Amino acid sequence: MIHYLRNASVRIKLIGINAILLLLLFCMGGGFTYLFVSHIFLERVESRIRLASGMVAGNMEFAGEMALRSYLKAQAETILGVVQALYSESLRKGHGMEEARRRAAEFLAAQTVGKSGYIFCLDDQGKPVFRPRSWQSGAEDGQEAILRRMLKTGNGYIEYEWTNAGEAAPRPKAAYVALFRPWGWYVGVSGYRDEFSSLVTMADLKGVLSSVALSPGGLTFLIGSDGSLLLGNASNSTAQSELRSVYQLFVSDMMRRKSGRIEYQWKDPGSSGFRERLIVFQELPKFNWIVGTSGYVDAIYAPVYRVKYWIAGVFAMFFVLVAGVGHLAGMSIVRPLGEMTECFRRGAKGDYSVRSRRGGLDELGAMGRYFNELMERLQRQTDFLERTVEERTRELAHLNNEYLREIDQKNLAEEKLRLQVAFLNTLLSAIPSPVFYQGADGRFLGCNRSYAHDVLGTEPEAVQGKTLRDFGGTYSHELSSTIMKSHARLLRSGGRMTVEQVLPCADGHFHDFVIDKTVFHDREGKPAGIIGVLVDITERRRVERDRELLERAVERASSAIFITEEDFGLIRYVNCAFEEDTGLNREETAGRPFRDFAAALYREQDILESILASVRSRNVWAGRLTAMRRDGSVYEAELTVSAVRDESGKARWLVGVQNDISERGVMEAKLLQAQKLESIGLLAAGIAHEINTPTQFVSDNLRFIQDSTDTLLELVNACDVIAGQAPGTDADTEEFFSAWGKRAEEEGLDFLRDELPNAIAQSLEGIERISSIVSAMKEFSHPGRKEKQQANLNDALRNTLTVTRNEWKYVANVVLDLDESLPEVHCLLTEMNQVFMNIIINAAHAIVEKLKTEHINRDSSTGVLSVSGEMGQIHISSGVQDGRVCIRIADNGVGIAAEHLRMIFDPFFTTKEVGKGTGQGLAIARDVVVNKHGGTLEVESEVGKGATFIISLPLDQE
């Protein structure tokens, strides 16, 4: 062979050498290219395998976590529904809330979550409502941060580490906390991480598992912490067989290694040979699961195999072409091969922009084009990968920035909200006026310390979640119902309202408040609740009432009162009595010296100096003197003068009180006599008149019975005489009966037979009428006992109507609408009879006032009233309303003027003519009902249409 080469021509040698060198170059370049390209594709395949396995693990872990959250949330909502049912049942049946809370706590304590999970319940202070069996005493010590986090979460899912009492190290847990607002309970459903797998339903993960695999026909499976096969995506019997085989062969290895790869040979049924498969598995630490996915190696690495065959074919073709050309390739091949080698070298170093400049249609030109195409493909793939990586990097960076921005915004919003809440709480606490705010459901959302301490007598935290009815000491049932109805109207109408109310406060006193209420809205603009601000006007009301009382007392005083500057200087005030007694009016006296009128007022000319001397020595001057009126009449007066001094003790004003005492004794005697006669005459005259009528017709009937008895006795005597003659014949007998019949007809026996029973019946009826009047009078006027007793108010009303009949029967009809099932009331019966009598007599007098001008006539000889036309009406009803006995006495008389309504219960106030009323009746009635029985006495009236007095008494008073 060597001899042949030695003797061969140069062309042959060149061809041979070129062929050998080209072959060697092709082999080296092809091998290098294959290794380089296959390395790139292998990295892509490996990246795809890692991405696929990571995606499977991430999806499974995410799906498992979502399933766990759903399970805990469903359990929490189910348990919350049971607690809500117990709460609603307690409200519906009227049971106590403590019993409902106890039953709810027992139910929660009996529940379990998984093997060792449990239900826990915290109050709004973070204290356990009850302790689960595995939550021993002291477990919450040192873990207040976790409890505060649970309270802050309110409704949501949290993960944390928890150490029970007696445990050396914390254990990872997860819980879903739900808030039960009526009781302020935070109910949590919790489980330990090492038991998460037992809480997840595998069916929820099947969809996620079946959607991923390394290659078509590949398997994905899930293995539990105990090595059991939890789930797989085998869709047919062949896949299921393979899944069971793989599980049995490799489960112990996967449980030991936790993550990694396994390669094995597998022959599908009906196939001619074995194919290599790859399993990639990875641990899910949160659930102690292992998730694995598999695929055929040749399918996974198919792109690498295709590149190998393609490169081998290209180099084989080049080798055949070069060998065929032979010598013609000669030296012309060396240089292009060098250029190509340089291109390959640069391409192998990653310079995919290198291109072969070799042209032509020969093999070297084709090789250059193929090389250029290869570089272009590699360039496109590289550019695509770079763009993809860059895009993914930008997306991740953008998402990361958005996430960080959202976290920052959330933190800023939370901090701002926290500061605002702290500021509002501080502001509310600093406001001296009581402030509260309620939700649309009527429950308190909060209040400031002034409202909680001063009004309700509790802490602000104890007010949240409660209603007005929960504070019965301040808001009675009736008042709370009225306020809640007004709040409902305000929420419907929107805007604001201002009301005045009197409330019993924590200091034990009643306070007058002006309450300004405003509706606030939620984010959607819907009414969310009411904010109320209370302004205590008790002192202002007291001062106003005192001032008003003083002004009214001074102005209406029967004594003449005047006020002057010091030393009887300018007159500053005179009342009505002064004008009436002296004849001087306030217009002509105001602003003038009192000394100008002294000579016209008093005979004693030096009396002023005597008075001033006494006042200067800090004494009150009092005495009697002779006073004169403007018309010259003289009367005896009693004058008292005292000084009003300033802060320095100097007398700045003089106040004089003067009384005409010339008729005091006479008037006092007359007034006393009038009061006695009014009480005696009001009852005695009416009762006498009522008894006189039945007595009259009883007397007439008795006279008729007496006359009829004499007649009957005469008939009896005549009968004895006729019978003594003893008729012996039939003719005598006939004559006897004829004589008897004639005598009976003469005496009117048939008339007596008809009328005597009627007369007796009418007499009995009259006697019963008299008896009922006397009985009613006895019941009404009986002094009774001083202590309260059970009494039937219906009977009391009937007795009072009987006693007062003479006052109303001529002017009004009485309509009774009494509830016969009315329960007895614990009361002072005699005093209640007096209340009923005063109101009924006032009603009759009001009807008289309305009818007297055109419908009432009084007989001058008998004094009896008669009504022409339609009479008035007094309607009396009784019943039970809101646990109280309610008596309504209504008339259609003249009514009460609006300016008089607030004064009708004042002592001595009356609208009747002088001499017809003392002004004591309604004042006494109100004292009996309100002060002695704890009830209410209200009046509704409209001028010209009548008045209605409403008496309300509690049933349970003691």
Coordinates of all heavy atoms in Angstrom, one line a residue, residues 374-422:
L374 N -28.2 26.4 8.7 CA -28.1 25.9 10.0 C -27.8 27.0 11.0 O -28.5 27.1 12.1 CB -26.9 24.8 10.1 CG -26.6 24.3 11.5 CD1 -27.9 23.5 12.1 CD2 -25.4 23.4 11.5
M375 N -26.9 27.9 10.6 CA -26.7 29.0 11.5 C -27.9 29.9 11.6 O -28.2 30.5 12.7 CB -25.5 29.9 11.0 CG -24.1 29.1 11.1 SD -23.6 28.8 12.8 CE -24.0 27.0 12.9
E376 N -28.6 30.1 10.5 CA -29.8 30.9 10.6 C -30.9 30.3 11.5 O -31.5 31.0 12.3 CB -30.4 31.1 9.2 CG -29.6 32.0 8.3 CD -30.1 32.1 6.9 OE1 -31.1 31.4 6.6 OE2 -29.5 32.9 6.1
R377 N -31.0 29.0 11.4 CA -32.0 28.3 12.3 C -31.5 28.4 13.7 O -32.3 28.7 14.6 CB -32.1 26.8 11.9 CG -32.8 26.6 10.6 CD -33.0 25.1 10.3 NE -33.6 24.9 9.0 CZ -33.9 23.7 8.5 NH1 -33.6 22.6 9.2 NH2 -34.5 23.6 7.4
L378 N -30.2 28.2 13.9 CA -29.7 28.3 15.3 C -29.9 29.8 15.8 O -30.3 30.0 17.0 CB -28.3 27.9 15.4 CG -28.0 26.4 15.2 CD1 -26.5 26.2 15.2 CD2 -28.6 25.6 16.3
Q379 N -29.7 30.7 14.9 CA -29.8 32.2 15.2 C -31.3 32.5 15.6 O -31.6 33.1 16.6 CB -29.4 33.0 14.1 CG -29.5 34.6 14.4 CD -28.5 35.0 15.4 OE1 -27.3 34.6 15.3 NE2 -28.9 35.7 16.4
R380 N -32.2 31.9 14.7 CA -33.6 32.1 15.0 C -34.1 31.5 16.3 O -34.8 32.1 17.1 CB -34.5 31.6 13.9 CG -34.5 32.4 12.6 CD -35.6 32.1 11.7 NE -35.5 30.7 11.2 CZ -34.9 30.3 10.1 NH1 -34.3 31.2 9.4 NH2 -34.9 29.0 9.8
Q381 N -33.6 30.3 16.6 CA -33.9 29.6 17.8 C -33.4 30.4 19.0 O -34.0 30.5 20.1 CB -33.4 28.2 17.8 CG -34.1 27.2 16.9 CD -35.5 27.0 17.2 OE1 -35.9 27.0 18.4 NE2 -36.4 26.8 16.2
T382 N -32.1 30.8 18.9 CA -31.5 31.6 19.9 C -32.2 32.9 20.2 O -32.5 33.3 21.3 CB -30.0 31.8 19.6 OG1 -29.3 30.6 19.4 CG2 -29.3 32.6 20.8
D383 N -32.5 33.6 19.1 CA -33.3 34.8 19.2 C -34.6 34.6 19.9 O -35.1 35.4 20.7 CB -33.4 35.5 17.8 CG -32.1 36.0 17.3 OD1 -31.1 36.1 18.0 OD2 -32.1 36.2 16.0
F384 N -35.3 33.5 19.4 CA -36.6 33.2 20.0 C -36.5 32.9 21.5 O -37.3 33.4 22.3 CB -37.2 32.0 19.3 CG -38.4 31.5 19.9 CD1 -39.6 32.1 19.8 CD2 -38.4 30.3 20.7 CE1 -40.8 31.7 20.4 CE2 -39.6 29.9 21.3 CZ -40.7 30.5 21.2
L385 N -35.4 32.1 21.9 CA -35.2 31.8 23.3 C -34.9 33.1 24.1 O -35.4 33.3 25.2 CB -34.1 30.8 23.5 CG -34.5 29.3 23.0 CD1 -33.3 28.4 23.1 CD2 -35.6 28.8 23.8
E386 N -34.1 33.9 23.5 CA -33.7 35.2 24.2 C -34.9 36.1 24.3 O -35.1 36.7 25.4 CB -32.6 35.9 23.4 CG -31.2 35.2 23.5 CD -30.2 35.9 22.6 OE1 -30.5 36.8 21.9 OE2 -29.0 35.5 22.8
R387 N -35.7 36.2 23.2 CA -36.9 37.0 23.3 C -37.9 36.5 24.4 O -38.5 37.2 25.1 CB -37.6 37.1 22.0 CG -36.9 38.0 21.0 CD -37.8 38.4 19.8 NE -38.3 37.2 19.1 CZ -37.7 36.6 18.1 NH1 -36.5 37.0 17.7 NH2 -38.2 35.5 17.6
T388 N -38.0 35.1 24.3 CA -38.9 34.5 25.3 C -38.5 34.7 26.7 O -39.3 35.1 27.6 CB -39.0 33.0 25.0 OG1 -39.5 32.8 23.7 CG2 -40.0 32.3 26.0
V389 N -37.1 34.5 27.0 CA -36.6 34.7 28.3 C -36.8 36.2 28.7 O -37.1 36.5 29.8 CB -35.1 34.3 28.4 CG1 -34.5 34.7 29.7 CG2 -35.0 32.8 28.2
E390 N -36.5 37.1 27.7 CA -36.6 38.5 28.0 C -38.0 38.9 28.3 O -38.3 39.7 29.3 CB -36.1 39.3 26.8 CG -36.0 40.8 27.1 CD -35.5 41.6 25.9 OE1 -35.1 40.9 24.9 OE2 -35.5 42.8 26.0
E391 N -39.0 38.4 27.5 CA -40.4 38.7 27.7 C -40.8 38.1 29.1 O -41.5 38.8 29.9 CB -41.2 38.1 26.6 CG -41.1 38.8 25.3 CD -41.9 38.1 24.2 OE1 -42.5 37.1 24.5 OE2 -41.8 38.6 23.1
R392 N -40.4 36.9 29.4 CA -40.8 36.3 30.7 C -40.2 37.1 31.8 O -40.8 37.3 32.9 CB -40.4 34.8 30.8 CG -41.1 33.9 29.8 CD -42.6 33.9 30.1 NE -43.3 33.0 29.2 CZ -43.8 33.3 28.0 NH1 -43.8 34.6 27.7 NH2 -44.4 32.4 27.3
T393 N -38.9 37.5 31.6 CA -38.3 38.3 32.6 C -39.0 39.6 32.9 O -39.2 40.1 34.0 CB -36.8 38.6 32.2 OG1 -36.1 37.3 32.0 CG2 -36.1 39.4 33.3
R394 N -39.4 40.3 31.7 CA -40.1 41.6 31.9 C -41.5 41.3 32.6 O -41.9 42.1 33.4 CB -40.3 42.2 30.5 CG -39.1 42.9 29.9 CD -39.4 43.8 28.8 NE -40.1 43.2 27.7 CZ -39.6 42.6 26.6 NH1 -38.2 42.7 26.5 NH2 -40.3 42.0 25.7
E395 N -42.2 40.3 32.1 CA -43.4 40.0 32.8 C -43.3 39.7 34.3 O -44.1 40.2 35.1 CB -44.1 38.7 32.1 CG -44.6 39.0 30.7 CD -45.1 37.8 30.0 OE1 -45.1 36.7 30.7 OE2 -45.5 37.8 28.9
L396 N -42.3 38.9 34.6 CA -42.0 38.6 36.0 C -41.7 39.9 36.8 O -42.1 40.1 37.9 CB -40.9 37.6 36.2 CG -41.3 36.2 35.8 CD1 -40.1 35.2 35.9 CD2 -42.5 35.6 36.6
A397 N -40.8 40.7 36.1 CA -40.5 42.0 36.8 C -41.7 42.9 37.0 O -41.8 43.6 38.0 CB -39.4 42.7 36.0
H398 N -42.5 42.9 35.9 CA -43.7 43.8 36.0 C -44.7 43.3 37.1 O -45.2 44.1 37.9 CB -44.4 43.8 34.6 CG -45.7 44.5 34.6 ND1 -45.8 45.9 34.7 CD2 -47.0 44.1 34.6 CE1 -47.0 46.3 34.7 NE2 -47.8 45.2 34.6
L399 N -44.9 42.0 37.1 CA -45.7 41.4 38.1 C -45.2 41.6 39.5 O -45.9 41.9 40.4 CB -45.9 39.9 37.8 CG -46.8 39.5 36.6 CD1 -46.7 38.0 36.4 CD2 -48.2 40.0 36.7
N400 N -43.9 41.5 39.6 CA -43.2 41.7 40.9 C -43.4 43.1 41.3 O -43.7 43.4 42.5 CB -41.8 41.3 40.8 CG -41.1 41.4 42.2 OD1 -41.5 40.7 43.1 ND2 -40.1 42.2 42.3
N401 N -43.2 44.1 40.4 CA -43.4 45.5 40.7 C -44.8 45.8 41.1 O -45.1 46.5 42.0 CB -42.9 46.4 39.5 CG -41.4 46.3 39.3 OD1 -40.7 46.0 40.2 ND2 -41.0 46.5 38.1
E402 N -45.8 45.2 40.3 CA -47.2 45.4 40.6 C -47.5 44.8 42.0 O -48.2 45.5 42.8 CB -48.1 44.7 39.6 CG -48.0 45.4 38.2 CD -48.7 46.8 38.3 OE1 -49.6 46.9 39.1 OE2 -48.3 47.6 37.5
Y403 N -47.0 43.7 42.3 CA -47.2 43.0 43.6 C -46.7 43.9 44.7 O -47.3 44.1 45.7 CB -46.6 41.6 43.6 CG -46.8 40.9 44.9 CD1 -48.1 40.4 45.2 CD2 -45.7 40.6 45.7 CE1 -48.2 39.7 46.4 CE2 -45.9 40.0 46.9 CZ -47.1 39.5 47.3 OH -47.3 38.8 48.4
L404 N -45.4 44.3 44.5 CA -44.8 45.2 45.5 C -45.6 46.5 45.7 O -45.8 47.0 46.8 CB -43.3 45.5 45.2 CG -42.4 44.3 45.2 CD1 -41.0 44.7 44.7 CD2 -42.3 43.7 46.6
R405 N -46.0 47.1 44.6 CA -46.8 48.3 44.6 C -48.1 48.1 45.4 O -48.5 48.9 46.2 CB -47.0 48.9 43.2 CG -47.7 50.2 43.3 CD -47.6 51.0 41.9 NE -48.0 50.2 40.8 CZ -47.2 49.6 39.9 NH1 -45.9 49.7 40.0 NH2 -47.7 48.9 38.9
E406 N -48.8 47.0 45.1 CA -50.0 46.7 45.7 C -49.8 46.5 47.2 O -50.6 46.9 48.1 CB -50.7 45.4 45.2 CG -51.2 45.6 43.7 CD -51.8 44.3 43.2 OE1 -51.8 43.3 43.9 OE2 -52.3 44.4 42.0
I407 N -48.7 45.8 47.6 CA -48.4 45.6 49.0 C -48.1 46.9 49.7 O -48.6 47.2 50.8 CB -47.2 44.7 49.1 CG1 -47.5 43.2 48.7 CG2 -46.7 44.7 50.6 CD1 -46.4 42.3 48.8
D408 N -47.4 47.8 49.0 CA -47.1 49.1 49.5 C -48.4 49.9 49.7 O -48.6 50.6 50.7 CB -46.1 49.9 48.7 CG -44.7 49.3 48.7 OD1 -44.4 48.5 49.7 OD2 -44.0 49.5 47.7
Q409 N -49.2 49.9 48.7 CA -50.5 50.6 48.7 C -51.4 50.1 49.8 O -52.0 50.8 50.6 CB -51.2 50.5 47.4 CG -50.6 51.3 46.3 CD -51.3 51.1 44.9 OE1 -52.2 50.3 44.8 NE2 -50.8 51.9 43.9
K410 N -51.4 48.7 49.9 CA -52.2 48.1 51.0 C -51.7 48.5 52.4 O -52.5 48.8 53.3 CB -52.2 46.6 50.8 CG -53.1 45.9 51.9 CD -53.0 44.4 51.6 CE -53.9 43.7 52.7 NZ -53.9 42.2 52.5
N411 N -50.4 48.5 52.5 CA -49.8 48.9 53.8 C -50.1 50.3 54.1 O -50.4 50.7 55.3 CB -48.3 48.6 53.8 CG -47.9 47.1 53.8 OD1 -48.7 46.3 54.2 ND2 -46.8 46.8 53.3
L412 N -49.9 51.2 53.1 CA -50.2 52.6 53.3 C -51.7 52.8 53.7 O -52.0 53.6 54.6 CB -49.9 53.4 52.1 CG -48.4 53.6 51.8 CD1 -48.2 54.3 50.4 CD2 -47.7 54.3 52.9
A413 N -52.6 52.1 52.9 CA -54.0 52.2 53.2 C -54.4 51.7 54.6 O -55.1 52.3 55.4 CB -54.9 51.5 52.2
E414 N -53.7 50.6 55.0 CA -54.0 50.0 56.3 C -53.5 51.0 57.4 O -54.1 51.2 58.4 CB -53.4 48.7 56.5 CG -54.1 47.6 55.7 CD -53.3 46.2 55.8 OE1 -52.2 46.2 56.4 OE2 -53.9 45.3 55.3
E415 N -52.3 51.6 57.2 CA -51.7 52.5 58.1 C -52.6 53.7 58.2 O -52.9 54.2 59.3 CB -50.3 52.9 57.7 CG -49.6 53.8 58.7 CD -49.4 53.2 60.1 OE1 -49.5 52.0 60.2 OE2 -49.2 54.0 61.0
K416 N -53.0 54.2 57.1 CA -53.9 55.4 57.1 C -55.2 55.1 57.8 O -55.7 56.0 58.6 CB -54.1 55.9 55.6 CG -55.0 57.2 55.5 CD -55.2 57.5 54.1 CE -53.9 57.9 53.4 NZ -54.2 58.4 52.0
L417 N -55.8 54.0 57.5 CA -57.0 53.6 58.1 C -56.8 53.4 59.6 O -57.7 53.9 60.4 CB -57.5 52.3 57.5 CG -58.9 51.7 58.1 CD1 -60.0 52.7 57.8 CD2 -59.2 50.4 57.4
R418 N -55.7 52.8 60.0 CA -55.5 52.7 61.4 C -55.3 54.0 62.1 O -55.9 54.2 63.2 CB -54.2 51.8 61.6 CG -53.9 51.5 63.1 CD -52.5 50.8 63.2 NE -51.4 51.7 62.8 CZ -51.0 52.6 63.6 NH1 -51.4 52.8 64.8 NH2 -50.0 53.4 63.2
L419 N -54.6 54.9 61.5 CA -54.4 56.3 62.0 C -55.8 57.0 62.1 O -56.1 57.7 63.1 CB -53.4 57.1 61.2 CG -52.0 56.6 61.3 CD1 -51.1 57.4 60.3 CD2 -51.4 56.7 62.7
Q420 N -56.6 56.8 61.0 CA -57.9 57.5 61.0 C -58.8 56.9 62.1 O -59.5 57.7 62.8 CB -58.6 57.3 59.7 CG -57.9 58.1 58.6 CD -58.6 57.9 57.2 OE1 -59.4 57.0 57.1 NE2 -58.2 58.6 56.2
V421 N -58.8 55.6 62.3 CA -59.6 55.0 63.3 C -59.1 55.5 64.7 O -59.9 55.8 65.6 CB -59.5 53.4 63.2 CG1 -60.2 52.8 64.5 CG2 -60.2 53.0 62.0
A422 N -57.8 55.5 64.9 CA -57.2 55.9 66.2 C -57.6 57.4 66.4 O -58.0 57.8 67.5 CB -55.7 55.7 66.2

